Amino acid sequence: MGTMRHFRVWRGDDTGGSLEDFQVEVNEGEVVLDVIHRLQATQTPDLAVRWNCKAGKCGSCSMEINGKPRLGCMTRMSTFGDSETVTVTPLRTFPVIRDLVTNVNFNYQKARELPAFAPPKGVEPGEYRMQQVDVERSQEFRKCIECYLCQNVCHVVRDHEENKKAFSGPRFFIRAAELDMHPLDARGDRKELAQAEQGLGYCNITKCCTEVCPEHIKITDNAIIPMKERVVDRRYDPVTWLGRKIFRR
Ligand code: SF4
Ligand code: F3S
Ligand code: FES
């Protein structure tokens, strides 16, 4: 027999909602998602929550737990004090569908806007060759599980609906950086593209995205800052500037 704990869960839909209080059993070793499932099984069969793998790999169970963006399936109840109330709310940056489920379409839209990998002319599938060292350079970025916690926490779009059109967000900056490191990508300069079309300039390196990433991807240090630095280099470096002047004439 576990102990009884105080849970507060946001219930509602796109027209509004409020926090509801529950006393619920919690057993040793359980995670927040287990407790939500127990609520569904015992008190609130219609509580909506999105989840799939329960192993921190599908990125579906993103939610805010005591105000912090987290994966419900990877947040142990032992993280909280025995008498602490655990408050669970939906991601704030995306529109609520119902209860803990939000519409994350914004992210799919941004994914579609990002130009896909394009090999150089004349290189056919099956002929791609790259060095292991190039494979490894961007390996970190391919660990992304698309949980969108980084997108949710970034202050550029959190509570700033008006910035969503121009800003792709950290998840898509790592994708741009990954393609930028790809030796066969011939789509053009990914750094310039990130600056011109993904809103890289809106990011002021607060690093909140890196802090919440469950895959511990160093989004800011390894993707955003190197892309920003190289864009700045190219724009203000006097030698590059002179070179451009001469060769563009
Ligand atoms: Fe989630 Fe990290 Fe990918 Fe962002 S970069 S979507 S936080 S796994
Ligand atoms: Fe946002 Fe991450 Fe930049 S949280 S402001 S994208 S460092
Ligand atoms: Fe898949 Fe949590 S259920 S990451």
Side-chain angles (χ1 to χ4, degrees):
M1 176 71 189
T3 51
M4 296 305 279
R5 297 284 297 267
H6 184 204
F7 245 66
R8 306 191 84 194
V9 183
W10 194 90
R11 313 268 343 249
D13 56 26
D14 58 353
T15 61
S18 59
L19 291 168
E20 272 182 32
D21 290 273
F22 300 97
Q23 289 296 324
V24 57
E25 183 186 327
V26 174
N27 300 301
E28 204 179 332
E30 284 184 337
V31 293
V32 169
L33 188 62
D34 289 320
V35 181
I36 291 170
H37 284 160
R38 181 161 303 115
L39 284 175
Q40 285 180 323
T42 56
Q43 304 180 48
T44 57
D46 62 340
L47 171 63
V49 62
R50 190 185 276 132
W51 68 283
N52 200 322
C53 69
K54 215 171 163 279
K57 285 294 159 224
C58 74
S60 307
C61 66
S62 298
M63 54 185 75
E64 301 201 359
I65 305 173
N66 287 359
K68 286 208 176 124
R70 289 170 171 273
L71 295 179
C73 74
M74 297 304 282
T75 307
R76 289 190 172 275
M77 284 301 297
S78 57
T79 317
F80 311 102
D82 287 346
S83 54
E84 193 177 346
T85 298
V86 176
T87 303
V88 187
T89 50
L91 297 179
R92 191 158 107 191
T93 302
F94 313 118
V96 168
I97 297 174
R98 198 156 69 83
D99 302 337
L100 301 174
V101 177
T102 55
N103 180 347
V104 292
N105 238 334
F106 164 74
N107 302 292
Y108 304 140
Q109 181 61 36
K110 294 298 166 185
R112 275 194 295 273
E113 287 171 13
L114 185 71
F117 165 77
K121 278 200 175 59
V123 180
E124 300 299 327
E127 296 173 0
Y128 301 169
R129 295 285 178 273
M130 56 197 279
Q131 304 277 332
Q132 186 60 27
V133 63
D134 288 323
V135 175
E136 279 158 14
R137 272 178 81 207
S138 59
Q139 184 64 32
E140 173 189 16
F141 305 137
R142 288 195 292 276
K143 289 193 309 187
C144 174
I145 58 168
E146 303 216 295
C147 64
Y148 305 129
L149 291 177
C150 58
Q151 302 283 94
N152 173 66
V153 81
C154 177
H155 71 96
V156 176
V157 282
R158 191 171 170 94
D159 299 327
H160 287 284
E161 196 62 32
E162 71 279 9
N163 288 339
K164 282 189 176 169
K165 196 163 181 290
F167 186 73
S168 294
R171 191 277 169 259
F172 300 101
F173 295 148
I174 64 169
R175 177 70 181 140
E178 181 192 335
L179 289 166
D180 188 49
M181 292 174 184
H182 199 302
L184 288 175
D185 180 59
R187 178 70 72 172
D189 192 320
R190 296 281 176 178
K191 293 176 279 293
E192 294 289 348
L193 223 81
Q195 188 72 15
E197 287 173 25
Q198 291 185 279
L200 183 65
Y202 282 74
C203 163
N204 55 353
I205 319 185
T206 56
K207 299 199 181 187
C208 310
C209 49
T210 304
E211 267 172 42
V212 300
C213 178
E215 285 294 318
H216 308 291
I217 300 170
K218 294 205 167 61
I219 304 171
T220 326
D221 286 353
N222 292 351
I224 295 177
I225 293 177
M227 283 210 294
K228 273 179 176 287
E229 277 172 353
R230 279 172 289 170
V231 169
V232 171
D233 273 0
R234 197 142 341 136
R235 292 211 170 144
Y236 299 118
D237 180 81
V239 177
T240 318
W241 178 83
L242 194 65
R244 275 187 176 179
K245 278 268 182 208
I246 295 166
F247 291 113
R248 279 198 182 160
R249 257 198 269 198

